[in-house]
Amino acid sequence: MQAMQYEVTLPADYDMGIVRARVARLGHALDDWEGLGLKAYLVRERGVDGSPVNQYAPFYLWHEARGMNAFLYGGPFQGLVDDFGRPSVRQWTGLWYEESAVVGAEARYAVRHRTPVPAGRALAEVAQEAMHEAGLLVTLDGAVCAAVAVDSRHWEVVRFSLWKHGTPETDGDVYQVLRLSAPGRDRLPRGRQW
């Protein structure tokens, strides 16, 4: 599993209705994309849920690199580049993924928590701690799913979770989920992935 996210930060006075309309018009394009576990179409709006910015920042979980590469190098990503410019794309290697016990819950919010891996700490210990924290999240009321991944170039752990309500019980950047495309969600590997 691989996690991926890019952020398009928009002007403070940008009409976020434009982003919402774009997602409503084009979001279906990934509903059957081969290799995609899930894509959460995420936005943050300045002044809402503590966000300092207007931002479109979709988050992806891929179960195969071929699907991710097809998306980036010949798929719908080019449309985003044409409209907003080419953003940096962050990629993390998946360590863990799990669904909550609430089957079929609609994701309305997401939380992304990024943490640098401290120098001198054993990597297995950091990974185990992050997986334990994410495992606790999926047991909480309103949780839909959670994932943990690591960027081994910058040594950063990301914990990503989807929630069915606007009061997620975790810290991090809070996003509104405009849409969820999840053609391969049921095929994402569960549990520890190392």
Side-chain angles (χ1 to χ4, degrees):
M1 179 181 77
Q2 291 190 319
M4 183 181 93
Q5 186 178 37
Y6 47 86
E7 300 167 327
V8 178
T9 302
L10 300 159
D13 61 349
Y14 191 82
D15 178 1
M16 293 301 284
I18 295 169
V19 174
R20 291 176 186 283
R22 185 178 197 283
V23 169
R25 189 177 72 253
L26 302 172
H28 66 88
L30 296 184
D31 285 351
D32 59 359
W33 195 269
E34 188 63 35
L36 178 63
L38 67 84
K39 175 183 180 178
Y41 294 78
L42 306 178
V43 294
R44 295 196 300 165
E45 293 185 63
R46 186 176 177 179
V48 178
D49 296 319
S51 177
V53 296
N54 285 330
Q55 193 173 68
Y56 174 57
F59 194 94
Y60 303 74
L61 292 175
W62 298 93
H63 53 77
E64 68 173 55
R66 179 177 293 234
M68 179 177 68
N69 290 337
F71 170 78
L72 289 171
Y73 302 109
F77 184 67
Q78 187 60 49
L80 178 118
V81 171
D82 292 345
D83 291 347
F84 296 104
R86 186 174 58 208
S88 294
V89 178
R90 290 188 177 127
Q91 295 181 28
W92 300 270
T93 302
L95 296 178
W96 182 92
Y97 175 78
E98 198 59 65
E99 299 269 337
S100 74
V102 182
V103 177
E106 182 179 349
R108 304 200 31 123
Y109 290 87
V111 179
R112 182 199 64 194
H113 182 267
R114 294 175 18 210
T115 308
V117 176
R121 275 207 61 207
L123 298 176
E125 180 182 296
V126 171
Q128 197 65 40
E129 184 178 293
M131 290 184 301
H132 174 74
E133 291 169 0
L136 293 175
L137 289 181
V138 295
T139 67
L140 298 175
D141 180 48
V144 175
C145 64
V148 176
V150 66
D151 171 351
S152 57
R153 179 173 185 259
H154 297 104
W155 291 112
E156 173 187 71
V157 172
V158 65
R159 187 180 67 224
F160 178 76
S161 52
L162 292 174
W163 298 81
K164 65 180 183 178
H165 57 68
T167 54
E169 297 183 42
T170 186
D171 57 341
D173 297 320
V174 177
Y175 300 87
Q176 299 168 45
V177 177
L178 300 183
R179 187 177 207 291
L180 192 67
S181 290
R185 182 173 169 183
D186 60 336
R187 294 190 316 271
L188 285 169
R190 301 294 202 269
R192 179 175 157 167
Q193 297 174 33
W194 58 284

